[in-house]
Amino acid sequence: LWEQPTEIFQQYSGLLPLAVLTKTNDPAEVLTEVAKRIDNIEDKKVKSNVAAATAIISGLALNKEVIQRLLRSEIMKESVIYQEILLEGEAKGKAEEKTQIALNMIHSGISIDLIAQITGLSLDQIQKLQ
């Protein structure tokens, strides 16, 4: 990929996310051009998915500040990819919150059965936390 000319990847909307990883001395400039091409995609669903994929893959070559500056986040937020990542993050956050609550309850001397009932964690999960 890094040995291929950038122009090939800028010709097709499906390849735009990979363009930043191609043979270039200035990946930020390539991302600028890719962002312009993404803005010209008429299909809103395709546009949001390509933008999200571009942001994710660009993270291999650029820092997040550059990516955020060049790609419009409101487009990416409509992407199914973005939505899935967001849901995974929320689920992970909720699981961590339940674990922290259970730990606090364990330290307070609350019974394991009551902790399981309140947090929704299994008895086995709570015993592992002890």
Side-chain angles (χ1 to χ4, degrees), residues 73-99:
S73 64
E74 67 273 2
I75 293 172
M76 291 183 288
K77 289 178 182 175
E78 297 172 12
S79 164
V80 294
I81 297 165
Y82 180 89
Q83 293 298 322
E84 183 62 29
I85 292 170
L86 188 61
L87 287 174
E88 287 176 12
E90 288 174 359
K92 184 178 178 184
K94 286 179 182 179
E96 290 173 357
E97 183 179 9
K98 281 184 179 184
T99 300

Side-chain angles (χ1 to χ4, degrees), residues 19-22 24 27-28 55-64 66-67:
V20 174
L21 304 180
T22 60
T24 179
I56 292 166
I57 294 172
S58 294
L60 297 170
L62 297 166
N63 65 47
K64 71 178 184 177
V66 173
I67 296 167

Side-chain angles (χ1 to χ4, degrees), residues 21-93:
L21 304 180
T22 60
K23 188 176 185 178
T24 179
N25 293 327
D26 192 355
E29 180 58 36
V30 171
L31 185 58
T32 301
E33 184 60 34
V34 166
K36 289 176 188 174
R37 292 177 189 262
I38 290 171
D39 282 340
N40 291 329
I41 296 173
E42 291 184 23
D43 185 315
K44 196 170 185 174
K45 185 176 181 179
V46 171
K47 179 188 274 191
S48 66
N49 286 334
V50 170
T54 300
I56 292 166
I57 294 172
S58 294
L60 297 170
L62 297 166
N63 65 47
K64 71 178 184 177
E65 289 79 18
V66 173
I67 296 167
Q68 289 172 337
R69 182 172 41 90
L70 297 176
L71 290 175
R72 293 180 22 218
S73 64
E74 67 273 2
I75 293 172
M76 291 183 288
K77 289 178 182 175
E78 297 172 12
S79 164
V80 294
I81 297 165
Y82 180 89
Q83 293 298 322
E84 183 62 29
I85 292 170
L86 188 61
L87 287 174
E88 287 176 12
E90 288 174 359
K92 184 178 178 184

